[in-house]
Amino acid sequence: MNPTDMPIERHTIAVLVANEPGVLARVIGLFSGRGYNIESLTVSEVDEANARSRITVVTSGTPMVIEQIKAQLSRLVPVYDVHDLTLEGAHVSRELALVKIHNTGEDRIEALRIADTFRARAIDSTLQSFVFELTGDTGKINAFIDLMVALGDVEVSRTGVVAIARGTGLDMPLVRRNVTKRKRRQPVTGD
Amino acid sequence: MSGAAIILKALQDQGVEVVFGYPGGAVLPIYDELFKTNAVRHILVRHEQAAVHAAEGYARSTGKVGVVLVTSGPGATNAVTGLTDALMDSIPIVCLTGQVPTHLIGNDAFQEADTTGITRPCTKHNYLVKEPGQLARVMHEAFYVAAHGRPGPVVVDLPKDILFADCPYVEAGEVELKSYRPQVKGDTSAVERAVDLIAKAKRPIFYGGGGLINSGPKASKLFTEFVHKTGYPATLTLMGLGAIPASDRHFLGMLGMHGTYEANWAMHDCDVMVCVGARFDDRVTGRLSGFAPNAKKIHIDIDASSLNKNVAVDIPIIGDAATVLEQMLAVWAAKGCKPDEAARAKWWKQIDGWRSRKCLAYRPNDDVILPQHAIRRLFEKTRGMDCYITTEVGQHQMWAAQYFGFDEPNRWMTSGGLGTMGYGLPAAMGVQIAHPDALVVDIAGEASILMNIQELSTLRQYNLPVKAFIINNQWMGMVRQWQELIHGGRYSESYSAALPDFVKVAEAFGGVGLRATKPSELDDVIDEMIKIKQPVMVDVAVKQDENCFPMIPSGAAHHEMILGPEDQAERRTSEEGMVLV
Ligand SMILES: Cc1cc2nc3c(=O)[nH]c(=O)nc-3n(C[C@H](O)[C@H](O)[C@H](O)COP(=O)(O)OP(=O)(O)OC[C@H]3O[C@@H](n4cnc5c(N)ncnc54)[C@H](O)[C@@H]3O)c2cc1C
Ligand SMILES: Cc1ncc(C[n+]2csc(CCOP(=O)(O)OP(=O)(O)O)c2C)c(N)n1
Ligand SMILES: [Mg+2]
């Protein structure tokens, strides 16, 4: 089959990288420089002691392009490991969204009702507004936002997708060698 | 130790003998250390781009890492073309760039450039050293990354305060990179399947590339050995030339856009293709939908991102060329594999038919020097000598690939992936530094050589007897050829107007200038050039409107190649081909 005729697939890829300056620029530059899609990209340090961050990318392309993306990511020097969660079996993926809705009257009550069925929590409220916190897969969050838009003026902040494989296997386990030397983090305020 | 001293120590510990560089404010502490220790030889180029090309020539002809030292800002930006060239052609380079002191980074300080930002897409990796404690580790890591896996350029950006700071030294042996671990050995089951496929092939071909050179001379030896064991034909890319001797009867010549008729037809008709260290470049494959349509493909490459990139293959093998070839030969022997002799004889008969077209033949001309002839004579007259060839970019480069036969790896230095005009002269300089007694010739075009002509001054300073052999057709010939073939002969801005007198240029720089304008003068001029142990520039006036053939027009497939001017009318470039470069 002609490579350009192959079907477009969406894949969720987890990348373990060294948490060092420029690493995110490298990953993003790779996608833009080679014309790959980024549908979502999240990053955060996951292993402070070893300075490792985990990036979750949701991307789409033909199977050949997806293979390329993984190979290109793997050859970046600060990359430790790459896992194609879509290909490697079942995985769970979640986003967190903060959705602020500004409305009054019946719509406000309806918003609260819907939030309840979505198990969204109101974490801030005024007489004319709520901020809901919602986690779920991308589809659920999209559905929730669509409903909210119908009920008022809405502002949204989303984390993008984080994902991990189901089951007992640890694809990219934390390495704990220098536990004693590890400096304690300042406690974070809030909940 | 100061940061600058650490750098010199790390260079020494990495076995660096020579650095190609150009000073400036941000790197003065390193230059001071060079001066004080006198531990590493420094070659002062005349432009930072040339420093990188020189380091490339040094690296490609020795298999070692080439080292470059430039200042911040303009020093670093001038190096960018060279770095990109090294990235495209997989050449191991460590380039040290000066940077403004850490506290000024981001302030638009004098001669500040975001060097790591600018070079991120054109290096294999880069570092900005912000803490003295990291310096020694980063230096060692840079060499490891440049040379391991698929080689490439690495930039180490050095803020000036770090060069003065007190830094701890760590030995190279103590530095271990945990993230970048290229796979060297091929998957055993894939190797076995590949060998089975090769043994059963009826119309096989070996297609080798620059990865054979990157892997070291052993890979070329094993490649040739495998070709001989099987008795199968072999072709090489532009970057792979020399991996199997050009004089070997199994060698069909280069393949691709300006490859031979027999190599391209054999690629098109083969049933099993064994690609070793080549990357299915568009110059090689032609139109992908028409590329080797009936072949099962085996691809050996150390970089997984080269596999299944342009062409889907049946058996991809990640690993180092020499290691995997060794594995394959062992399996071949263990299984007692024997090629199908009847099929092989039939295949060679077909190939000999293509060969008999003599696609590289040219009609001798007594009035004007044919460029092909000039290169052929250079080849014949230097046969048996300890000779290295570099090129610029254009028609002369392709003719050099076609008419100069390389019997060993590391003898041929050319800018393939980026196609950088101005590569050849500085690259030759780097080769000559590495091989002081060898004959080093830059086969040049009159347009290209002007792009780094200032390096004649470097040649003079260090008494480097590099020869620039200019195939002077008074045109940017390759551009002119495309304009003739696909732009209706409208020669827009491709004439080399106002050319200097190259003989006088050579003399002005303290070298020797020679000229050949008639075929009868050619041999004498070549002899004289070889004899003179000084920088020489030879101006060879050649036929101006000669085109480079054979040629696969853009967008065409291997079996649609044009053999010569007679062919052109029939086979026009397709509309899809027009948009390709
Ligand atoms: C004007 C012009 C015309 C050209 N025309 C042609 C032409 O007609 N024919 C042609 O062939 N080229 C031509 N080229 C060159 C072309 O653009 C490419 O540079 C070239 O074809 C690539 O060569 P390669 O496939 O051998 O790969 P290289 O660029 O040499 O890459 C090497 C490959 O080997 C791999 N590798 C590296 N180290 C190892 C190792 N240790 N073990 C295993 N694998 C390894 C790398 O990952 C990479 O995939 C032309 C260039 C110019 C400027
Ligand atoms: C830096 C750079 N600019 C432009 C080009 C495009 N280009 C490719 S070949 C060529 C002409 C080269 O002319 P010359 O050196 O005289 O070689 P000839 O083709 O005549 O042998 C040009 C302009 C290039 N390869 N590199
Ligand atoms: Mg020319």
Side-chain angles (χ1 to χ4, degrees), chain A residues 20 22 25-26 52 64 68 71-72 75 77-80 177, chain B residues 120 125-126 145 150 178-180 303-305 307-309 312:
Chain A
E20 61 183 33
R26 264 178 234 289
R52 291 185 190 186
M64 240 168 122
Q68 262 299 300
Q72 293 288 352
R75 75 207 272 262
V77 171
V79 167
Y80 290 101
R177 282 170 313 179
Chain B
R120 200 171 288 129
H125 193 52
N126 62 18
V145 171
R150 179 182 187 162
K178 291 203 194 65
S179 55
Y180 184 69
D303 179 356
S305 78
L307 303 168
N308 290 321
K309 179 171 63 178

Side-chain angles (χ1 to χ4, degrees), chain B residues 126 207 429 565:
Chain B
N126 62 18
Y207 148 43
M429 207 159 83

Side-chain angles (χ1 to χ4, degrees), chain B residues 60 88-90 149-151 207-212 214-215 236-240 254-259 276-281 283-284 299-303 306 319-322 393-394 397-398 415-420 478:
Chain B
R60 190 72 168 180
M88 293 291 275
D89 285 346
S90 304
R150 179 182 187 162
Y207 148 43
L212 286 166
N214 289 132
S215 177
L236 294 169
T237 66
L238 182 75
M239 298 308 291
M254 181 174 82
L255 82 165
M257 182 173 271
H258 291 291
V276 192
R279 57 185 171 87
F280 294 92
D281 182 78
R283 281 281 170 289
V284 162
H299 187 185
I300 303 163
D301 203 293
I302 201 157
D303 179 356
S306 285
D320 164 58
V393 170
Q397 175 190 27
M398 293 298 109
S415 169
L418 196 63
T420 312
M478 189 55 93

Side-chain angles (χ1 to χ4, degrees), chain B residues 57-117:
Chain B
Y58 177 90
R60 190 72 168 180
S61 67
T62 58
K64 298 180 192 163
V65 176
V67 183
V68 176
L69 170 59
V70 298
T71 193
S72 67
T77 56
N78 268 352
V80 164
T81 300
L83 293 169
T84 312
D85 192 89
L87 182 73
M88 293 291 275
D89 285 346
S90 304
I91 313 287
I93 298 289
V94 169
C95 176
L96 310 177
T97 55
Q99 183 54 278
V100 302
T102 38
H103 67 276
L104 287 181
I105 289 179
N107 279 22
D108 298 326
F110 177 64
Q111 295 199 326
E112 177 181 1
D114 175 6
T115 300
T116 45

